[in-house]
């Protein structure tokens, strides 16, 4: 009898702990997707008060330094650009969706900020336009979007220090289409992040600062200054 009661208690404890670790099912996430996106308009910048700017945090990672061409005056590097913001239309109560705290979604389904490298030597496309990385959304409306690509910028060559070449190049990334009263960039760090960085045999990165400036025409511009 005593052993049986203990057995029952153990059974109850096991069931209770299964409930505690109960995770989201496919059906929960599908219902969440339906509820969030049925009435969602990805064409509209996601601010509850449209007279206030959406603040987008930017983290710039230098993945590799590819080349510096003194004749063409161009620098090429591979960058990963992380962006984060809050979309008030993408908030939910996790307990109603099997404790789904966050999920990854197709980039074509939500509003995404676009930035352009203004001193590019390639056709003018938004940075990462050909990457299809899935953004992550959290139940508090926080969106995390990581994209990137090869950025090739025009940079005046400094030949004054020849042959001890030392070059500075600033990548200028602008929120074209949205003025800063609508979209404001904010630099998450004052330096480019080098967690993914592969060193280059000919060039040393001496400086790699990042900051946001406000430019003419009222755009917000993210600058990544590289000193080689
Ligand atoms: C972006 O993320 C960073 C790091 O978590 C945070 O400090 C910053 O406030 C976020 N920015 C926005 C605009 O949400
Ligand atoms: C979801 O968020 C809640 C509240 O912040 C937290 O207690 C819980 O551990 C989170 N669950 C997961 C799976 O991250």
């Amino acid at each position: 009898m005593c052993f049986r009661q203990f057995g029952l208690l153990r059974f109850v404890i096991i069931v209770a702990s299964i409930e505690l670790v109960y995770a989201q099912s496919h059906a929960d996430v599908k219902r969440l997707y339906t509820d969030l996106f049925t009435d969602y308009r990805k064409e509209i910048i996601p601010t509850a008060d449209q007279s206030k700017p959406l603040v987008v945090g930017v983290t710039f990672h230098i993945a590799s330094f590819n080349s510096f061409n003194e004749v063409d005056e161009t620098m090429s590097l591979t960058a990963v650009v992380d962006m984060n913001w809050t979309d008030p239309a993408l908030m939910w109560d996790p307990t109603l969706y099997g404790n789904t705290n966050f999920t990854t979604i197709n980039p074509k389904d939500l509003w995404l900020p676009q930035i352009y490298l203004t001193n590019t030597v390639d056709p003018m496309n938004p940075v990462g336009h050909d990457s299809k990385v899935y953004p992550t959304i959290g139940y508090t409306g926080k969106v995390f979007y990581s994209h990137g690509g090869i950025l090739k910028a025009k940079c005046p060559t400094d030949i004054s220090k020849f042959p001890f070449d030392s070059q500075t190049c600033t990548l200028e990334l602008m929120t074209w289409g949205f003025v800063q009263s609508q979209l404001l960039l904010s630099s998450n760090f004052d330096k480019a992040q080098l967690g993914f960085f592969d060193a280059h045999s000919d060039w040393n990165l001496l400086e790699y600062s990042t900051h946001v400036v406000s430019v003419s025409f009222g755009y917000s511009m993210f600058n990544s200054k590289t000193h080689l």
Side-chain angles (χ1 to χ4, degrees), residues 68-76 117-122 151-157 168-172:
F68 192 96
N69 188 317
E70 278 97 342
V71 180
D72 287 353
E73 306 195 308
T74 57
M75 182 187 79
S76 164
L117 180 65
T118 58
N119 55 338
T120 185
V121 293
D122 290 326
L151 303 180
K152 203 169 171 192
K154 186 84 181 165
C155 293
T157 303
T168 300
C169 186
T170 301
L171 298 170
E172 299 168 349

Side-chain angles (χ1 to χ4, degrees), residues 1-210:
M1 188 63 188
C2 188
F3 273 106
R4 260 209 238 141
Q5 269 180 353
F6 179 67
L8 182 66
L9 185 63
R10 212 165 54 161
F11 177 71
V12 170
I13 289 172
I14 290 170
V15 170
S17 39
I18 286 172
E19 274 200 348
L20 279 179
V21 297
Y22 172 73
Q24 64 264 32
S25 67
H26 183 274
D28 289 325
V29 178
K30 186 174 166 193
R31 192 159 40 81
L32 173 63
Y33 219 108
T34 307
D35 291 351
L36 289 179
F37 290 105
T38 300
D39 208 22
Y40 187 87
R41 291 306 301 253
K42 64 178 178 184
E43 298 83 1
I44 302 171
I45 188 167
T47 39
D49 178 349
Q50 293 272 311
S51 68
K52 301 247 167 65
L54 177 73
V55 182
V56 173
V58 182
T59 301
F60 191 86
H61 303 261
I62 301 177
S64 68
F65 175 77
N66 304 324
S67 63
F68 192 96
N69 188 317
E70 278 97 342
V71 180
D72 287 353
E73 306 195 308
T74 57
M75 182 187 79
S76 164
L77 53 80
T78 307
V80 176
V81 182
D82 296 339
M83 300 180 112
N84 62 301
W85 64 98
T86 298
D87 186 330
L90 301 179
M91 294 182 178
W92 69 90
D93 178 353
T95 62
L96 302 179
Y97 300 91
N99 296 324
T100 305
N101 279 12
F102 65 89
T103 190
T104 44
I105 62 167
N106 196 309
K108 71 174 176 49
D109 288 338
L110 81 167
W111 183 90
L112 293 173
Q114 292 186 334
I115 49 170
Y116 293 81
L117 180 65
T118 58
N119 55 338
T120 185
V121 293
D122 290 326
M124 194 66 90
N125 281 311
V127 171
H129 70 283
D130 47 4
S131 77
K132 304 225 167 17
V133 182
Y134 274 39
T136 299
I137 58 174
Y139 71 96
T140 56
K142 285 188 166 43
V143 187
F144 176 80
Y145 179 46
S146 183
H147 58 304
I150 295 174
L151 303 180
K152 203 169 171 192
K154 186 84 181 165
C155 293
T157 303
D158 180 2
I159 52 164
S160 62
K161 300 192 184 88
F162 187 83
F164 305 106
D165 279 352
S166 164
Q167 303 296 345
T168 300
C169 186
T170 301
L171 298 170
E172 299 168 349
L173 298 157
M174 204 168 76
T175 61
W176 241 337
F178 291 93
V179 290
Q180 61 188 353
S181 57
Q182 299 173 288
L183 181 57
L184 205 52
L185 298 178
S186 153
S187 188
N188 290 333
F189 296 95
D190 59 7
K191 279 187 174 0
Q193 303 299 293
L194 301 179
F196 304 126
F197 187 64
D198 285 326
H200 190 276
S201 47
D202 296 340
W203 294 97
N204 284 324
L205 269 180
L206 302 176
E207 190 204 324
Y208 38 95
S209 60
T210 58

